[in-house]
Structure formats: structure tokens, C-alpha cells
């Protein structure tokens, strides 16, 4: 009887292992080491002239969750992927990716507002995301509005802008996430041009729709 109980227990254990859900996959919007190295030398770099402070990002509630959310073309339905998760809250992933990219492109420090010395000019970056669409095997869409506010010293006119970025993607979740990384990089390039007093009209690359920038 004990032998039969042992065999039954082993069989149940094997069956449970076979029915176990696959392990969740985690993704980040921060670029890999090779991609980050590609933005180290930028035409916008002006080391030491100022610093930036990227503030917490506002997100639509539909995508502000741990799971990656897929949009369905031509439908109001979305699909929440419980097995594909962001490595950190999505708002933090976007903020950290943007801050890292801007710091590299501009060659400046990204600091909390309170940590910036009074003698160091500071630009505060506020970003509000209106769309963060993930269409599997088709495209990603990032639409956002941002405000650049000068501190230390204050008094300069604030700069505002809105843009939509579309990036085609291949099948697979890594390709989808890479598309979002590229969309954020293009957005950072526009902001870097503004902070460097360069015209943004020349940055209308394929997939970028500027909706008014000052």
C-alpha cells in the first residue's frame, strides 16, 4: 500500500509539473549595452553646460499595469499578457529610458531637482503619454506631450511640444519591446534638439509626426 501511495504521489507530481504555467518573461525599456554605446557620441552633446531632471511620467490607465498590453487593430478590445511583464512599473521604465537617452545624447547629468547645485542651469522635463500602443507583428505607437522648464536661473520661456512616433515591428515580444525602445529614442532626439537650441523641423524622420513645438 505504501508503494502504491508513493507511486501515486510521484505520478501526481509529474502531472502537476507538466501542467505548470510557463515562466513569466520580463522586459525593460532601457537599451542594451551595445545600443547605449551608440548614443554616447552625439552632435547635441554640450558637457557641463547644464543638467536635466526628468520627472515622473503620466500614463493612460489602460497600459499602466505590470503586464504588457496588446492593442487589437480596428477594435476597442485589448489583450493583457500575464506571461509578459515589465521589469519595473511602466511609468518608471519610460522615465528611466528617456532620462538615460537624454543624458547620453546631451552629455549632461540627469539629477533630482533638489540635488542640482544652484549655480548649475537645470532643465526640468515633464512628459505626459497619451498613447502607448503595442500592435503585435505590426507597429508600436507612442504619442506624448512634454514641457521643458528652465531652472537655475528661472525666467526663460518654457518649451512645449507634442509628437506621435510610429515604429514597425517584427513578430515576437523582444521585437515589440525593441520597437518601443526605438520610439522613445526618437522622442529623446527631438527633446535633445530643443534643449540644444537646434531646430526640430529637420528631425521629421519617417514615423515621426510633430504636432507643434516651441
Amino acid at each position: 500500500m505504501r508503494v502504491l501511495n508513493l507511486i501515486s504521489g510521484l505520478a501526481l507530481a509529474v502531472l502537476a509539473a507538466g501542467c505548470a504555467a510557463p515562466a513569466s518573461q520580463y522586459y525593460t525599456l532601457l537599451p542594451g549595452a551595445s545600443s547605449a554605446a551608440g548614443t554616447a557620441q552625439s552632435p547635441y552633446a554640450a558637457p557641463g553646460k547644464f543638467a536635466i531632471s526628468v520627472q515622473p511620467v503620466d500614463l493612460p490607465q489602460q497600459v499602466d499595469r505590470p503586464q504588457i498590453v496588446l492593442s487589437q487593430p480596428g477594435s476597442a478590445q485589448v489583450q493583457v499578457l500575464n506571461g509578459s511583464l515589465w521589469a519595473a512599473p511602466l511609468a518608471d521604465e519610460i522615465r528611466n529610458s528617456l532620462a538615460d537617452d537624454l543624458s547620453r545624447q546631451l552629455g549632461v547629468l540627469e539629477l533630482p531637482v533638489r540635488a542640482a547645485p544652484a549655480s548649475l542651469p537645470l532643465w526640468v522635463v515633464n512628459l505626459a503619454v497619451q498613447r502607448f500602443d503595442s500592435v503585435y507583428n505590426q507597429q508600436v505607437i507612442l504619442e506624448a506631450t512634454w514641457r521643458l522648464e528652465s531652472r537655475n536661473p528661472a525666467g526663460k520661456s518654457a518649451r512645449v511640444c507634442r509628437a506621435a512616433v510610429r515604429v514597425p515591428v517584427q513578430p515576437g515580444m523582444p521585437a515589440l519591446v525593441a520597437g518601443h525602445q526605438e520610439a522613445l529614442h526618437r522622442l529623446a532626439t527631438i527633446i535633445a534638439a530643443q534643449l540644444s537650441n537646434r531646430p526640430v523641423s529637420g528631425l521629421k524622420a519617417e514615423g515621426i509626426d510633430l504636432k507643434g513645438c516651441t
Side-chain angles (χ1 to χ4, degrees):
M1 182 64 69
R2 290 182 178 179
V3 174
L4 290 175
N5 289 338
L6 178 60
I7 293 175
S8 298
L10 290 174
L12 288 173
V14 171
L15 181 61
C19 295
S24 296
Q25 301 294 319
Y26 292 84
Y27 299 91
T28 180
L29 291 174
L30 285 170
S34 58
S35 299
T39 60
Q41 300 296 327
S42 168
Y44 306 123
K49 290 187 176 181
F50 58 88
I52 59 172
S53 182
V54 181
Q55 300 303 293
V57 172
D58 290 334
L59 274 179
Q61 292 185 356
Q62 294 90 332
V63 296
D64 190 11
R65 58 179 68 223
Q67 302 94 335
I68 293 177
V69 179
L70 296 184
S71 302
Q72 305 297 325
S75 171
Q77 184 178 1
V78 298
Q79 182 180 2
V80 179
L81 303 181
N82 291 321
S84 298
L85 311 173
W86 296 113
L90 181 55
D92 292 344
E93 287 284 341
I94 294 174
R95 195 217 77 86
N96 293 340
S97 177
L98 182 64
D100 179 76
D101 203 331
L102 283 173
S103 179
R104 291 178 182 276
Q105 288 201 49
L106 293 166
V108 300
L109 293 175
E110 196 276 325
L111 301 169
V113 173
R114 294 183 179 180
S119 59
L120 180 63
L122 179 71
W123 283 99
V124 177
V125 182
N126 288 281
L127 182 76
V129 175
Q130 283 78 43
R131 292 183 67 183
F132 190 88
D133 293 354
S134 305
V135 185
Y136 188 81
N137 193 24
Q138 292 191 26
Q139 65 179 353
V140 300
I141 302 173
L142 172 64
E143 185 166 350
T145 304
W146 62 92
R147 175 184 172 90
L148 309 178
E149 183 181 352
S150 176
R151 304 274 184 92
N152 300 348
K156 292 184 179 180
S157 298
R159 302 174 185 176
V160 295
C161 189
R162 179 166 179 155
V165 184
R166 297 173 184 264
V167 179
V169 298
Q170 299 298 317
M173 292 309 299
L176 185 78
V177 173
H180 279 300
Q181 290 174 330
E182 175 61 24
L184 281 167
H185 173 64
R186 296 181 188 181
L187 195 69
T189 301
I190 299 171
I191 297 174
Q194 285 183 291
L195 292 175
S196 302
N197 294 318
R198 294 173 180 264
V200 296
S201 57
L203 296 174
K204 289 186 178 180
E206 183 179 356
I208 299 177
D209 180 17
L210 295 176
K211 299 179 180 295
C213 296
T214 62

